[in-house]
Amino acid sequence: MELVADESTESTEAVPGVHLTQGAVGEEASIQRFYIEPGAEVPEHEHPHEQVGTVTSGTLTFVVDGEEHPVHAGDTFVVPGGEPHAAYNDHDVPVEGFDVFAPPRPNPDWQE
C-alpha cells in the first residue's frame, strides 16, 4: 500500500489559477486534487485517460461540444478518454475537488 499525504506533495499551476496536486498513482488509476480560482479557465484539451471526479466545493462548468455542464459540490462527472473538453469557474469562490484517471496519469500537468 502507498500513502501519499497532502503535505508531502506540491501543487502545480497547470494554467493560471488552476492548481493540481498529484495523489496516489497505482497500476490502473491515479488521483489528483484540483483547486480552481474564481475566474480561472481550463482551455479545451483532451487526453487518452478516462476521467471521473467529484466537486467538493463550488461549481465548475465543463464545456463539451459547445454545451455547458455545471457540476456543483457533491456532483460527480465522467469524461471519456479522447473527448475534447474545457472547464471554467465563473463564480466568486474557488472550486475544489478530485479527479481519478484510468489508466494512470502520473503528471498533473493537463497538457500530458
Side-chain angles (χ1 to χ4, degrees), residues 12-46:
T12 298
E13 190 168 17
V15 296
V18 177
H19 306 271
L20 306 175
T21 305
Q22 183 65 59
V25 178
E27 294 291 321
E28 303 291 328
S30 62
I31 188 168
Q32 74 181 16
R33 178 186 304 265
F34 59 83
Y35 178 92
I36 302 176
E37 296 175 15
E41 298 181 18
V42 177
E44 184 174 84
H45 65 285
E46 62 182 271

Side-chain angles (χ1 to χ4, degrees), residues 26-85:
E27 294 291 321
E28 303 291 328
S30 62
I31 188 168
Q32 74 181 16
R33 178 186 304 265
F34 59 83
Y35 178 92
I36 302 176
E37 296 175 15
E41 298 181 18
V42 177
E44 184 174 84
H45 65 285
E46 62 182 271
H47 41 76
H49 316 83
E50 180 177 54
Q51 176 181 355
V52 298
T54 187
V55 171
T56 57
S57 66
T59 298
L60 182 63
T61 301
F62 281 89
V63 181
V64 179
D65 290 331
E67 190 173 326
E68 295 185 346
H69 303 273
V71 182
H72 307 282
D75 290 346
T76 59
F77 58 87
V78 62
V79 179
E83 178 83 55
H85 58 286

